[in-house]
Amino acid sequence: MGRAGRAGRWPGWIGLAVLLLGMGLRFYRLEAQSLWYDEGTSARLSEGPLRHILESAAQDIHPPLYYVLLYGWGTLVGRSVFALRAFSALTGVLLIAAVGNLTARLFGRRAAGLAMLLTAVHPLAIYYAQETRMYTLLGLWAAWHSVFWLAWQRRPRPGRALGLLLTGVAGWYTHYVFPAIPVAHFLGMLIDAGRGRLRRLIRWLGLQAWIGLAVLPWAPVAMTQLRQWPSPPQVPLPEALEAILRALGAGITLPPEVPSVVIVPPLIGIITGIIGKSIAFPKAPRGANPLGVWMALTMVLSPIGLVLGRGAYREANLKFFMAALPAFVALGAAGLETIRWLFRKHGGIGAERIGLVFALGLMLGPMGLSLQALYFDPRFARDDYRGLARTLAAILRPGDGVLLYAPGQVDVFTYYWPEAPLIPAPLRRPPPPEEIEGTLAPALRGRDRLFVLWYGEREADPEGRVERWLDTHAFRAEERWVGGIRLAVYGLGKLEEHPAPGVRFGEAIEVDGWGMTASPLRPGDVLGVAVRWRVLASIPTPYKVFVHVRGPDGRPVAQTDREPLGWRRPTTTWRPGEILEDRYGVWLPTELMPGRYPVVIGFYGPDGRRLPVFRDGQPAGEAWEIGIIEIRPVP
């Protein structure tokens, strides 16, 4: 076998042990968490047939290859959560081998073993190897495309050219960040001042032209998709660079309380590798590339530059830097190899081992913290659509409905609950008022309760038009956060209206009219209360409204507390003379015993003190009893 072939091999039994370690970490707790929003999209788009995948991918914001491969994989092994994620997990194992091969060609076989170890335990690589998305595949194509480029550049054989073509086309059809890799290769060829540089560059451009022809059929779709990519708010450059370095150095699950100083050792290792491999002792090991440092740097910086330059950086897009991870890890391994060489030169074999273990420990320490958080810290758990589907399936009754406001939620939610009673959501973003009325009003007619899973509504509906419509046509009873999903419960009962009762709260708020949903009710129903507030004077204190259903002992058996008008109009913004229509819902417990229960309403301030109530000008305590509801048993 030739010199180039020896450079491309990763170490034998050590490499196999590292691959097994990486496989174990990628399959550990693989299905412990639910599929989340984006994974639901992958599951739905990859259901097939092939024509449907291509048509659906054209409506998505990513190319189709990952979905096509996942369709083939699912046909063979099934479509369970474990099976779907196993495709990414096995791709992640292949990525370990690819990084070893890449590092061997850049820095030699000794560095390759270290690079494989770093990739095997790297939290960023493991995180996306446990996700049904295309980011591990993006890293794999970036690594193998670079391997074939380095091999072809050393000796341009037809097989290597074919590998360069195939991985290039595959990368383009996997993710739109991939083009940063051939850009890095182009810059690397400009750096290379060796003999025949111009001829190699021209031949390489010819290969890229063939890749371009293969991608050309998808180009119109790609241009449309790239124009539709969201433009997130700009993040200060230092803040963005810090987040990128944290992700590449220790993953996206490094707890926020861990200071960024912990990624300094990996950066020092990389800097040591850059200095050592290019300045202090530039002679490359056998089979390595003399310009390996600079070529690896271009492979790291090119994806970063593309994302930052296009204004596409946000925390959620740190996944794009899987394209930069192979070269980043290779640089880290080069640093470790440089440290090993320095300790051996100045202290012998014993010092070499101690120095290498110490340096490796400094690199692996932050990764260990990040891995612990990845597996066990609930702050980094994916949104639990599986748990939400199970919970709602258990409590929903005939007449209830579920509104999934983000379109992609339908894919993941119905993966777990295909028969869910879904309410159609407005499609346009942001939705015009006539579409909201025309979509929701007929869909909710005749229903009792509505469960809404809010996700991404601030981007899709910045003015909160849909939520405002619901707050004026239904009774919001409860809401809680489940990861990044806000679950809200609304009542849809018919209102019985009543005239002004002569009730005043303090000196500034008067009841101009009120209403309550008809009684009798059942346990689990949502009691609806509507009040018109007349503002008599300015209110300097931000009061909250409470609605309590009292039990026989006078204590609340059900309640709701919040600022008026769905948190949108604090009392400090009320103007004298205004009349405000306000609605509240109270979700009655399913275990509530039959009987008659009084309902009271009032205001309290930040200090917990309640506004006094006056009825026809006379003191009437600290809460106004608006009526009595009757609870009957569920038939």
Side-chain angles (χ1 to χ4, degrees):
M1 183 175 292
R3 185 178 173 186
R6 287 192 298 269
R9 293 185 316 191
W10 39 265
W13 67 268
I14 297 178
L16 178 60
V18 170
L19 286 175
L20 292 175
L21 170 65
M23 179 179 290
L25 291 173
R26 282 151 181 78
F27 278 91
Y28 177 60
R29 294 175 57 85
L30 186 61
E31 57 181 347
Q33 297 182 23
S34 163
L35 295 178
W36 73 290
Y37 185 96
D38 284 2
E39 290 183 288
T41 300
S42 297
R44 179 57 53 86
L45 262 63
S46 63
E47 286 178 345
L50 185 59
R51 180 176 178 180
H52 168 75
I53 294 174
L54 297 177
E55 292 174 349
S56 299
Q59 305 301 317
D60 191 42
I61 58 173
H62 296 298
L65 180 60
Y66 172 77
Y67 304 124
V68 172
L69 295 176
L70 189 61
Y71 165 65
W73 173 262
T75 302
L76 292 174
V77 303
R79 300 190 58 81
S80 67
V81 173
F82 185 89
L84 291 173
R85 285 181 174 162
F87 178 73
S88 293
L90 290 175
T91 303
V93 177
L94 295 177
L95 177 61
I96 299 171
V99 172
N101 200 315
L102 174 64
T103 307
R105 296 184 181 278
L106 289 170
F107 304 116
R109 291 186 60 194
R110 281 183 176 271
L114 294 170
M116 290 180 64
L117 176 60
L118 292 176
T119 308
V121 302
H122 201 292
L124 187 70
I126 294 171
Y127 186 92
Y128 289 111
Q130 294 193 327
E131 185 168 276
T132 312
R133 294 296 282 169
M134 68 286 297
Y135 304 107
T136 299
L137 190 64
L138 168 64
L140 181 67
W141 296 139
W144 279 118
H145 191 59
S146 298
V147 167
F148 281 112
W149 169 66
L150 289 167
W152 176 86
Q153 192 180 27
R154 180 183 291 272
R155 188 172 299 175
R157 292 175 176 173
R160 296 173 178 184
L162 180 61
L164 191 65
L165 287 171
L166 293 178
T167 54
V169 173
W172 274 89
Y173 275 104
T174 296
H175 199 277
Y176 294 127
V177 170
F178 177 82
I181 300 304
V183 169
H185 298 169
F186 175 74
L187 296 175
M189 296 186 78
L190 293 181
I191 295 171
D192 187 359
R195 245 169 73 180
R197 179 185 69 168
L198 182 59
R199 184 174 60 184
R200 284 197 305 273
L201 180 59
I202 293 173
R203 294 174 68 179
W204 179 84
L205 289 173
L207 292 172
Q208 296 304 309
W210 282 108
I211 293 174
L213 285 175
V215 177
L216 190 60
W218 190 257
V221 176
M223 296 303 296
T224 301
Q225 290 177 327
L226 289 171
R227 285 195 295 268
Q228 293 174 348
W229 266 28
S231 299
Q234 291 299 302
V235 176
L237 183 60
E239 181 181 334
L241 290 175
E242 179 185 358
I244 293 169
L245 289 175
R246 278 178 70 100
L248 291 174
I252 60 174
T253 52
L254 186 65
E257 63 270 16
V258 177
S260 294
V261 70
V262 300
I263 65 170
V264 170
L267 295 180
I268 291 176
I270 289 175
I271 294 171
T272 302
I274 293 173
I275 295 174
K277 294 293 184 182
S278 61
I279 300 174
F281 37 97
K283 184 178 179 181
R286 185 181 182 186
N289 194 303
L291 296 174
V293 164
W294 306 112
M295 291 180 173
L297 275 176
T298 62
M299 295 177 209
V300 173
L301 297 178
S302 185
I304 295 174
L306 174 63
V307 174
L308 294 179
R310 194 186 177 280
Y313 172 79
R314 58 175 176 166
E315 187 178 0
N317 289 347
L318 288 170
K319 54 198 174 188
F320 293 171
F321 300 112
M322 280 295 294
L325 185 65
F328 186 89
V329 169
L331 284 170
L336 289 173
E337 174 61 15
T338 301
I339 292 171
R340 181 201 65 79
W341 184 89
L342 288 172
F343 271 85
R344 180 168 186 172
K345 181 179 180 180
H346 298 287
I349 295 178
E352 168 195 0
R353 293 173 178 172
I354 294 173
L356 179 59
V357 170
F358 179 73
L360 189 60
L362 290 178
M363 280 195 176
L364 296 181
M367 293 186 188
L369 295 175
S370 190
L371 272 181
Q372 172 73 17
L374 186 156
Y375 291 128
F376 303 112
D377 193 330
R379 292 176 296 177
F380 299 101
R382 294 171 174 87
D383 294 333
D384 189 13
Y385 283 94
R386 177 174 57 195
L388 281 169
R390 289 174 178 172
T391 298
L392 294 182
I395 65 176
L396 259 66
R397 308 181 304 206
D400 293 341
V402 178
L403 176 63
L404 305 173
Y405 187 58
Q409 286 183 307
V410 176
D411 298 332
V412 63
F413 194 79
T414 56
Y415 176 88
Y416 289 109
W417 189 12
E419 304 83 14
L422 299 183
I423 300 296
L427 297 178
R428 281 184 278 182
R429 297 291 187 266
E434 59 272 15
E435 184 185 3
I436 298 173
E437 182 73 26
T439 302
L440 294 182
L444 298 181
R445 194 174 295 123
R447 294 190 179 271
D448 299 324
R449 301 181 302 180
L450 177 67
F451 296 80
V452 183
L453 274 60
W454 297 106
Y455 179 82
E457 70 278 3
R458 291 186 179 180
E459 292 80 12
D461 186 9
E463 298 177 11
R465 295 174 182 176
V466 173
E467 191 165 5
R468 191 185 301 270
W469 188 93
L470 287 173
D471 281 337
T472 57
H473 291 79
F475 305 95
R476 192 195 317 189
E478 182 175 317
E479 59 183 15
R480 64 177 183 268
W481 285 94
V482 181
I485 307 163
R486 180 163 56 97
L487 171 64
V489 183
Y490 293 83
L492 302 169
K494 186 177 180 181
L495 197 66
E496 293 183 347
E497 298 190 19
H498 302 272
V503 172
R504 175 167 48 85
F505 292 88
E507 302 298 327
I509 304 171
E510 184 178 66
V511 178
D512 189 65
W514 66 282
M516 192 163 64
T517 49
S519 184
L521 300 171
R522 299 175 298 168
D525 282 349
V526 174
L527 166 67
V529 175
V531 185
R532 286 194 303 274
W533 308 115
R534 180 185 295 275
V535 186
L536 305 178
S538 298
I539 306 172
T541 304
Y543 290 103
K544 287 184 178 179
V545 178
F546 67 86
V547 181
H548 291 175
V549 177
R550 287 180 172 173
D553 59 358
R555 296 180 179 180
V557 295
Q559 67 183 78
T560 189
D561 299 65
R562 68 167 181 265
E563 290 189 357
L565 280 80
W567 301 90
R568 288 188 297 273
R569 287 296 304 276
T571 54
T572 52
T573 68
W574 291 10
R575 298 185 298 272
E578 272 192 301
I579 296 179
L580 304 172
E581 180 93 24
D582 203 4
R583 289 184 168 222
Y584 298 89
V586 181
W587 195 5
L588 303 175
T590 55
E591 67 275 9
L592 191 62
M593 298 297 295
R596 295 171 61 83
Y597 296 84
V599 181
V600 301
I601 189 170
F603 288 82
Y604 65 92
D607 58 359
R609 296 176 60 182
R610 295 181 177 182
L611 282 177
V613 178
F614 299 90
R615 185 80 182 252
D616 298 326
Q618 301 299 315
E622 295 181 333
W624 167 42
E625 183 178 308
I626 61 175
I628 295 177
I629 58 172
E630 181 183 357
I631 304 299
R632 292 182 180 177
V634 178

